[in-house]
Structures are given as C-alpha cells and as structure tokens.
Amino acid sequence: MTTVALDLLGGDGAPGVVADAAATLLSDAANTGLRLVLVGPVDVARDQLVARGVDLNRVTLLPAACGVSMDASPLEVVRQDAQREAAETTVVVAARAVRDGVADAWVSVGHTGASVASAVLTLGRISGMQRPALAVLVPALASPVVLLDVGATTTGSVGAFEQFAIAGQAFAVAVGVSHPRIGLLTIGS
C-alpha cells in the first residue's frame, strides 16, 4: 500500500479543492492500494471529508495549524517552523511524515518554494547535489519526458546542470524510460 501525505491548505481554493481531489482519488476503484494522510487542521479536514462522503478509515488526519501564504518568504517561514518541535505549517508536517516513515510521498499544490525548502531542510539533499531540482513528467509519443528544474534556476552553473542531468537520467529510468537522452533547454545568457 502506498501512503501519500496531502497538504490540505495548499493552493488556490484550498481546503475545498484539495478535499475534492482526496475524495476523487479514494473513490476510484483503481486506487484501492492508496492511503492518504491529510495534513491540516483536523476539524477542517474531517468536516471537508465527511461532507464528500469519504470513508475516514482510509485517511489519517495529521494536525497542522496553517499553510504558507503565496506572498510569504518560503525559506524564512519553513526555516522557523522546521526548528520547532511541533511544526505548524502543512508542508513541514508533510515533509516530516515522509522523513518519519508515516508517508511514502507528499503532495502540495501550494507554495512551491515552501515545498522545496521543506524537502531540503527536513529530508536533506542527495550527497553531491548542490541544489534541488523540480521535476515534471511530460507525456510524449515514444516515452515520457523528464523535465528538470522547470525554470526554477535562472543562474545555473555547469556543475548544477551536470547534477540535474544525472538526477534526471536516474528518475527517467525509475519511471520506465529504458535509454534516456539528455538535453539542455535554456532561457539564455
């Protein structure tokens, strides 16, 4: 069974849109091997799920007081929260759920910078990686394309691009691309 922590307070339209997504995921017969950990205010999470008819036996509610607003400085907010014994933001609590083995992965459609900062500060980096890279799996005719960094780095170094290429190749192989090719797409300068 795969357990995914889901940030209830992330993104536009949260918590309702996130609760809709959770209800849809759990109602799909193809997802019987999926268990959700919904991260946010427990009373709000329970009310949102019950209103959508979700079987609460397939969901664990993990308390977190607040999300990270889109105008916040993500590193500042996450750094302060990560130092607390009991974290308050949904992305830090979700990252800790992965770190502590409560979840296998976490998803947030909220502040991307806060998610990346939570991952780095809570889970650490792979040895030798200077900076994290966001990855997007893009469907294509022959096989999926792994697009790394997706515009997050505007001033990359040769070393960072080399690390992104190695990480991207490993990720592509992990998702079933047998002989990935590496390319560079840049915004210039």
Side-chain angles (χ1 to χ4, degrees), residues 37-179:
V37 175
L38 206 54
V39 182
V42 172
D43 292 342
V44 172
R46 186 178 298 113
D47 292 347
Q48 291 283 327
L49 295 175
V50 168
R52 288 158 177 79
V54 172
D55 177 5
L56 294 179
N57 290 319
R58 289 191 61 200
V59 181
T60 300
L61 304 179
L62 197 55
C66 58
V68 177
S69 69
M70 295 306 281
D71 61 347
S73 169
L75 188 55
E76 220 173 277
V77 171
V78 170
R79 185 177 281 144
Q80 289 173 358
D81 199 35
Q83 292 173 355
R84 293 185 182 107
E85 188 173 323
E88 296 177 2
T89 59
T90 52
V91 289
V92 173
V93 173
R96 286 181 179 180
V98 172
R99 179 195 68 193
D100 298 341
V102 173
D104 301 306
W106 104 78
V107 174
S108 176
V109 294
H111 199 303
T112 303
S115 294
V116 172
S118 294
V120 170
L121 292 175
T122 305
L123 305 172
R125 290 190 200 121
I126 294 173
S127 178
M129 288 291 288
Q130 295 171 342
R131 62 184 311 142
L134 301 172
V136 175
L137 196 58
V138 181
L141 292 176
S143 64
V145 172
V146 176
L147 183 61
L148 256 75
D149 192 46
V150 294
T153 301
T154 57
T155 57
S157 67
V158 171
F161 290 141
E162 182 180 43
Q163 292 167 10
F164 291 168
I166 292 167
Q169 190 238 4
F171 184 68
V173 169
V175 297
V177 179
S178 58
H179 294 56

